[in-house]
Every structure is written in C-alpha cells, then in structure tokens.
C-alpha cells in the first residue's frame, strides 16, 4: 500500500495500543505503552500501520523524519467553554486584590458578565472571536474538544453558541462534541423557577430540534443550581437524548457528585471539594471523575485528591475547562504538567487521563485517544527531547514541533 504520510525514526511512539479498553482506572492508569524506534503510517486521514523502524514500509507520498522526537496521539479535551465573547481580566485583577469567585459572581460579574457581552454580538462575530481560540488549542496539541454553551442564557443566545461550536468543527478539522449548559447561572431579570421552566420547556426542545447538543450540563453549586434542580434539568435533557455531565463540587461540597451518580452522568467535573463519601459513590458508578487543574490553579482552590482516587481504583480524566472566568487557558500540555506537579500523578497516569479517559467520557474512544489502527490520525510530533517524562517536567515551554490533524500536517 502507498501511504499518504509516513513518520519515521520515531524515538518513542506513545500510547500505542492494538485495541483500547473502555477506560483506564486504578493501577492500569500507570501503564502507558511506548514503542521505541518506530514508524507510523497514515492513509485517508487514519492511522493504518505502525511498527519497529526496521520494518518501515518506506513507501509514502510524504515522509517526516522524527529522529530524537516522540509521537503522541493528540490530547482530548473533554471540558471547555471555548465559545465566549470576551476575556475577563478585570475580574482577575479584582481577585488579585482579594475578591472571591463567588463575590464577583454575586455582584453581576462572572458568568452574567460573559452573558451580557455574548448577547450583544452576532453569531458571525462570536464565531470570529472563538475561532482563533480553536486554532490556538490545535497548535498546543488538542485534536478533540468538548465545547459548552452557558453564556447565552436566552433561547436564541444558547442556540447561537452551539451553532458557533458546530461551525468551529467544520472550519478547523477539530473533532467537536457539544454540551448544552443553559443551567450555568440564573439571569437577573427572572426567577430561578421561571428560568428552569425556560430551560426545560423552550431551550431543550429547540436545541434538540436542531440537533445542536450531544450532552447536557448543570452548574451544581451553592448559589447556582441545587441537587434537586440539577437532577430535574438532566432528566429533561435525557428525554431528548442529551446525556448528562455535571459541574460538580467546585466551590463547595454541594452534592454535584451525588446528582451526577443519580442521573448516570458520563462525567462529574471539577471535584475540588470532595471527600470519602463522594469517592465511595464514584467507585460504585460508571461516572468519569474529571479534574480541571487549570481552574484549581487559577482560582487558588485546593487540587482534587487525584492520586488518592487512583489508589482507590478510580479512573481520572483531565481537561482544561478553557473559559474566561476560571481557566483562561486551553493549553493541555500545561494541564498535563499541573496534574503531575500539583496532584502527583505520574507522567504516564496524567497522559492516560488526558487521552484515553477523556476520549472515553466523550464516547469517542473508538476513533481517538490512542495510536491504534483505524483511529483518526490526530498526532503530536515533539521537538527533540530526552524522554517522555521531560514533557510534563518542562512546564510552560513549547515542546511541540508539528501537529498532524486528520492525517495532514497542520
Ligand atoms: O467550569 N464553574 C462554572 N463554570 C466555569 C466558569 C465559568 C465562568 O466563570 O465564566 C467553570 O469553572
Ligand atoms: Fe467548566
């Protein structure tokens, strides 16, 4: 067979698996298969062959010599709010001066501030402003991204956000999963009860009609949505095929994990404030515990007990939470470093958490998340580096040499 692309002399081909388990948990998170001195071949946008360099087919339209470099599957970022209108560095300065995230939110800043800005611009303008962030994350190694709504907070603006998320997929080649997060905050001109009715009676049906959302999410938090409201909204989403994922236990132990387990969520995300009880509940569920180290870092929150969760046999996933309020970075290499530095995950555990486990909870592991024949050729080629562990160690430095997206050099 003549291949479209052959990457040769690879120092280490990372995350090579003949087939993938449905997710990795406990001690299996420490196992990261790396094939030394290898090649990988691509045709029609897919990984079609790999092996030891000595068996390289040497038969391709395009050849890349990766001597001294690692090749990795692209990161799968399972939690972002990448579509937004404007940055919020004024709140960042207020936080530096001592204001808390909750105080800023309660005074009309935060999510409501983002909503006001987003409501005032057109879909095309929102697309333009979001597109450059999509290019930014592609360059930092993301190949699959989940994007949430939640800064619209009206029927038309939530739809606008999700349409923009879909357009990003068309325009960039990124694989995009979309999540409806109407229950992100309550607008000031209505009551919570009326807003929940609007979500259930108007937003969910309109979004389902246009097939704009794969999933439904709720910000389950004191001052936002309670356990009961979270369950009510998720059940309404489930009725039209939107599986739940929950913003859980970020600022308080407010029951998000309990709600997520109850509704059979694909993931519960954040988890800065969890204890034994939540860990026990997760052990008896299929819910993916997802950690967003960028948000804990930026807000100065405690990091979740990820290492303990893994020791107790749980899976852990890592995503960026890219958003203007609590994690203004979608840089997955930095999240990878934070997981190792701040939560003591090994480089192998952290990489598995940001590829296999995030792909698993986005129901995309059949096509992404590892170097496996038949999967989409979304790859990262590193610069010349001494070892795999060097990548998270060298935090904040750009160790990416080239990106392959759908089999093409980006
Ligand atoms: O995941 N916590 C809720 N939502 C976002 C932040 C939203 C914002 O501040 O704009 C998060 O951290
Ligand atoms: Fe979030």
């Amino acid at each position: 067979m003549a291949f479209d692309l052959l990457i040769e002399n690879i120092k280490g081909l990372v995350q090579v698996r003949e087939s993938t388990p449905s997710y990795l948990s406990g001690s299996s998170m420490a196992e990261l298969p790396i094939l030394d001195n290898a090649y990988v071949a691509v045709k029609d946008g897919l990984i079609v062959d790999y092996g030891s360099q000595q068996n390289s087919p040497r038969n391709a339209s395009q050849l890349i010599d990766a001597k001294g470099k690692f090749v990795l599957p692209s990161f799968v970022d399972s939690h972002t709010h990448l579509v937004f209108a404007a940055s919020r560095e004024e709140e960042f300065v207020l936080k530096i001066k001592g204001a808390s995230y909750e105080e800023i939110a309660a005074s009309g800043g935060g999510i409501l501030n983002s909503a006001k800005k987003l409501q005032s611009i057109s879909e095309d303008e929102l697309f333009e402003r979001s597109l450059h962030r999509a290019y930014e994350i592609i360059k930092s190694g993301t190949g699959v991204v989940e994007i949430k709504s939640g800064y619209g907070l009206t029927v038309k603006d939530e739809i606008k956000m999700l349409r923009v998320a879909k357009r990003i997929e068309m325009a960039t080649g990124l694989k995009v999963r979309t999540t409806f997060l109407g229950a992100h905050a309550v607008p000031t001109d209505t009551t919570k009860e009326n807003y929940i009715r609007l979500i259930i009676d108007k937003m969910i049906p309109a979004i389902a009609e246009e097939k704009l959302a794969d999933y439904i999410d709720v910000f389950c938090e004191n001052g936002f949505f309670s356990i009961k409201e979270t369950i009510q909204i998720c059940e309404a989403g489930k009725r039209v095929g939107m599986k739940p994922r929950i913003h859980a236990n970020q600022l308080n132990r407010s029951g998000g994990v309990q709600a997520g387990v109850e509704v059979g969520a694909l993931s519960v995300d954040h988890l800065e404030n969890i204890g034994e009880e939540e860990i026990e509940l997760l052990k008896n569920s299929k819910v993916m515990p997802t950690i967003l180290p960028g948000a804990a870092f930026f807000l100065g929150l405690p990091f979740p007990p990820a290492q303990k969760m893994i020791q107790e046999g749980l899976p852990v996933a890592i995503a960026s939470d890219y958003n203007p309020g609590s994690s203004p970075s979608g840089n997955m290499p930095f999240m990878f470093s934070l997981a190792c530095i701040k939560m003591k995950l090994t480089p192998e555990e952290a990489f598995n958490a940001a590829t296999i486990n995030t792909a698993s909870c986005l129901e995309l592991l059949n096509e992404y998340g590892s170097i496996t024949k038949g999967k989409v050729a979304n790859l990262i080629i590193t610069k010349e580096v001494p070892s795999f562990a060097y990548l998270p160690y060298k935090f904040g430095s750009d160790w990416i040499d080239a990106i392959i997206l759908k089999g093409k050099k980006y």
Side-chain angles (χ1 to χ4, degrees):
M1 191 193 313
F3 301 110
D4 298 334
L5 170 68
L6 180 66
I7 310 174
E8 285 202 298
N9 297 313
I10 303 166
K11 179 175 175 127
L13 183 59
V14 178
Q15 196 66 291
V16 228
R17 294 176 189 261
E18 222 173 276
S19 63
T20 31
S22 49
Y23 60 88
L24 295 169
S25 59
S27 57
S28 69
M29 287 200 67
E31 292 157 23
L32 180 68
I34 301 184
L35 187 62
D36 294 336
N37 199 18
Y39 73 89
V40 62
V42 173
K43 192 168 171 63
D44 299 329
L46 302 179
I47 298 163
V48 288
D49 193 18
Y50 61 80
S52 293
Q53 179 57 34
Q54 72 222 33
N55 301 324
S56 170
R58 308 234 73 220
N59 176 10
S61 324
Q62 196 192 355
L63 212 68
I64 297 179
D65 184 8
K67 191 164 182 304
K69 303 170 180 179
F70 285 81
V71 171
L72 331 168
S74 293
F75 290 106
V76 176
D77 189 350
S78 63
H79 182 139
T80 84
H81 311 247
L82 175 110
V83 172
F84 56 85
S87 56
R88 301 208 313 252
E89 63 276 17
E90 61 291 345
E91 293 175 11
F92 168 63
V93 176
L94 289 175
K95 275 185 222 122
I96 290 171
K97 293 183 176 161
S100 72
Y101 183 84
E102 287 114 311
E103 283 162 358
I104 290 169
S107 64
I111 297 163
L112 295 177
N113 175 357
S114 280
K116 204 152 95 194
K117 291 174 180 161
L118 188 137
Q119 288 163 0
S120 74
I121 62 172
S122 69
E123 182 186 314
D124 285 342
E125 177 65 30
L126 183 62
F127 174 68
E128 288 309 321
R129 292 191 195 181
S130 304
L131 186 61
H132 78 93
R133 282 178 222 122
Y135 289 133
E136 178 198 356
I137 65 167
I138 291 171
K139 284 189 212 131
S140 61
T142 296
V144 178
V145 65
E146 182 261 16
I147 303 177
K148 298 175 197 295
S149 69
Y151 293 129
L153 309 185
T154 68
V155 179
K156 98 176 174 338
D157 295 299
E158 286 293 302
I159 287 177
K160 179 166 90 186
M161 283 189 80
L162 291 166
R163 284 187 185 148
V164 166
K166 293 270 184 194
R167 283 173 67 183
I168 285 177
E169 175 165 47
M170 308 279 283
T172 61
L174 270 173
K175 175 70 188 172
V176 173
R177 283 289 207 214
T178 51
T179 301
F180 167 56
L181 175 58
H184 200 191
V186 180
T188 43
D189 60 357
T190 183
T191 62
K192 183 145 72 159
E193 206 187 328
N194 284 340
Y195 186 59
I196 293 174
R197 285 264 58 93
L198 183 77
I199 291 175
I200 294 176
D201 297 342
K202 296 278 176 345
M203 290 183 179
I204 292 176
I207 287 161
E209 165 88 25
E210 235 186 281
K211 293 193 171 49
L212 286 172
D214 301 302
Y215 306 118
I216 185 156
D217 194 342
V218 177
F219 188 16
C220 184
E221 185 57 65
N222 300 355
F224 291 82
F225 295 87
S226 69
I227 306 186
K228 194 162 154 252
E229 291 155 350
T230 301
I231 294 172
Q232 184 192 2
I233 294 163
C234 288
E235 291 298 338
K238 277 164 72 176
R239 286 195 284 275
V240 294
M242 299 175 191
K243 293 183 190 163
R245 25 190 4 110
I246 314 278
H247 275 75
N249 299 60
Q250 179 183 18
L251 307 173
N252 296 284
R253 260 179 101 177
S254 38
V257 170
Q258 282 78 354
V261 170
E262 164 96 24
V263 298
L266 284 166
S267 67
V268 285
D269 303 31
H270 273 294
L271 313 180
E272 285 87 344
N273 290 283
I274 64 166
E276 271 320 321
E277 190 186 322
E278 284 83 359
I279 293 179
E280 283 309 312
L281 267 175
L282 286 168
K283 278 193 206 163
N284 297 310
S285 79
K286 291 202 155 69
V287 184
M288 179 64 72
T290 301
I291 285 159
L292 311 170
F297 174 73
F298 186 78
L299 297 183
L301 299 174
F303 281 83
Q307 191 48 259
K308 175 179 159 66
M309 289 158 71
I310 293 172
Q311 270 159 18
E312 297 209 15
L314 282 175
V316 164
I318 288 168
S320 76
D321 199 18
Y322 194 1
N323 79 76
S326 68
S327 183
S329 166
N331 189 289
M332 286 299 281
F334 183 55
M335 306 304 150
F336 181 22
S337 290
L338 280 179
C340 298
I341 297 164
K342 296 302 230 178
M343 292 183 290
K344 305 288 177 228
L345 264 60
T346 63
E348 292 77 13
E349 287 169 335
F351 193 72
N352 280 326
T355 52
I356 299 264
N357 281 354
T358 40
S360 167
C361 74
L362 289 181
E363 304 177 292
L364 286 170
L365 193 52
N366 286 334
E367 295 158 274
Y368 300 91
S370 66
I371 308 285
T372 301
K373 286 182 198 170
K375 289 199 183 184
V376 177
N378 282 358
L379 309 170
I380 300 170
I381 305 176
T382 70
K383 293 179 177 159
E384 289 191 35
V385 293
S387 66
F388 174 73
Y390 180 89
L391 304 176
Y393 153 84
K394 194 87 170 110
F395 80 91
S397 92
D398 180 14
W399 43 255
I400 295 177
D401 182 44
I403 296 294
I404 309 293
L405 204 58
K406 286 183 165 171
K408 296 216 163 50
K409 193 156 174 198
Y410 182 76

